[in-house]
Amino acid sequence: MEGIIVLSLLYWAIAGILFLVGIIMLIARSSTDKPVKPGLRLIIIAAIMVVVGAGACALIIGGIGGIH
């Protein structure tokens, strides 16, 4: 059970770091008139990770996933 908790925390930390890096890249590149596409990609990837992670957590907490 401890392994699931560690992996879950690692997953959420990575999602948060990707989001923060994306925001920083977006701000930095928009202020220098460079393309902001890489920053937007990181933000979109982080948002997808949040949706998938929230669904997985709901399955684990609800007991629907069949993990015992």
Side-chain angles (χ1 to χ4, degrees), residues 4-62:
I4 292 174
I5 294 171
V6 171
L7 288 176
S8 177
L9 291 175
L10 183 64
Y11 182 86
W12 289 111
I14 291 171
I17 290 170
L18 283 176
F19 183 75
L20 288 176
V21 170
I23 292 289
I24 291 169
M25 283 180 66
L26 189 70
I27 292 170
R29 288 179 175 258
S30 66
S31 66
T32 59
D33 291 331
K34 291 183 180 177
V36 294
K37 198 171 187 178
L40 289 174
R41 282 185 183 165
L42 287 179
I43 293 172
I44 291 170
I45 290 169
I48 291 170
M49 286 180 71
V50 166
V51 170
V52 170
C57 284
L59 286 174
I60 291 171
I61 290 171

